[in-house]
Amino acid sequence: MTLIDGKAISEQVKQEIAAEVAEIVARGGKCPHLAAILVGHDGGSETYVAAKVKACEICGFKSSLIRYESDVTEEELLAKVRELNEDNDVDGFIVQLPLPKHISEQKVIETIDYRKDVDGFHPINVGRMSIGLPCYVSATPNGILELLKRYQIETSGKKCVVLGRSNIVGKPMAALMMQKAYPGDATVTVCHSRSKDLVKECQEADIIIAALGQPNFVKAEMVKEGAVVIDVGTTRVPDSTKKSGFKLTGDVKFDEVAPKCSYITPVPGGVGPMTIVSLMKNTLLAGKKAIYQ
């Protein structure tokens, strides 16, 4: 069993990006600039945004953080999005989700200029991804592809089961795993809360990508010997032994599943660090105008 070390790979990718940025700047080019909008004080969002700002420093990017209280109006937020669309110094920006209930996330996503949409959530980027055109691929699926690539995990012709059908992970992951590319060329099945033979599907899978948000859902009897298991779940489960009072728990019951796997990602330290690195890679592409002019 090989443990897929997302933390080590993410550090490696950040160093590669930093070297490229240093080269761009040395040639008199512009340093990539990522902006983030954060609304309210959600604990998870705060942690994520802080990690993104830190990653920008390591990669040599310029970063801006724009904060609003949770009672900001939708119109005020959309006005800021339009302002960032027009700001030539900002190469890419994100609006940290989730947003307060009175703001339409979809409206915000669609207002972002797709050429600066480094989260890869705009319908134009999603559409281009689904037909295999160059675009900003959303961060978590992109990070998973990077892990499969760096560990040279065979995907062609393999049976891949994706657990979950969210717009952020499940759907794009399924689309990417069946593209004519590496990693890809897999036979993909998407399972969700309405799937009848979910356990049987998992038992037949060479690769399981679990993105349900249900702690310890995937158990040993659902996984065949030698399978590759990618755990996207990060649920905060109460734990009195931890200083924070909780521990991050994946969708996979790691201790019992790991011995059966050829490769498995831990939680934390697997997919999570790669998500932030993917955002950095998209920002670099935006800075270089590599996808859209």
Side-chain angles (χ1 to χ4, degrees), residues 152-164:
Q152 296 172 346
I153 293 168
E154 188 52 61
T155 58
S156 180
K158 300 292 184 193
K159 181 171 165 59
C160 171
V161 167
V162 177
L163 296 174

Side-chain angles (χ1 to χ4, degrees), residues 189-205:
T189 304
V190 179
C191 293
H192 45 78
S193 56
R194 297 286 182 273
S195 301
K196 292 268 188 289
D197 291 330
L198 188 144
V199 173
K200 185 170 163 290
E201 293 289 355
C202 288
Q203 287 167 341
E204 293 169 2

Side-chain angles (χ1 to χ4, degrees), residues 61-114:
F61 294 169
K62 180 178 171 186
S63 73
S64 306
L65 176 56
I66 300 139
R67 304 190 72 123
Y68 288 103
E69 290 304 319
S70 47
D71 60 358
V72 64
T73 64
E74 185 177 88
E75 197 32 66
E76 197 181 338
L77 189 61
L78 292 174
K80 177 51 85 173
V81 167
R82 293 186 195 104
E83 189 187 309
L84 291 174
N85 286 343
E86 298 301 319
D87 186 337
N88 290 331
D89 191 57
V90 174
D91 298 297
F93 68 95
I94 61 160
V95 179
Q96 185 66 37
L97 304 178
L99 290 169
K101 293 278 181 281
H102 66 280
I103 296 173
S104 159
E105 290 189 356
Q106 201 49 45
K107 200 184 273 187
V108 171
I109 288 166
E110 288 181 25
T111 304
I112 295 170
D113 183 339
Y114 68 92

Side-chain angles (χ1 to χ4, degrees), residues 106 120-121 123 125-132 135-142 144-145 160-179 186 188-193 209-212 232:
Q106 201 49 45
F121 293 160
N125 280 314
V126 176
R128 288 177 68 97
M129 179 214 65
S130 68
I131 56 173
C135 64
Y136 301 127
V137 176
S138 66
T140 303
N142 208 359
I144 293 168
L145 292 186
C160 171
V161 167
V162 177
L163 296 174
R165 54 178 166 182
S166 71
N167 290 338
I168 291 176
V169 185
K171 286 179 195 164
M173 203 65 241
L176 291 162
M177 288 304 283
M178 58 179 154
Q179 300 277 23
V188 181
T189 304
V190 179
C191 293
H192 45 78
S193 56
I209 299 169
L212 288 164
V232 187

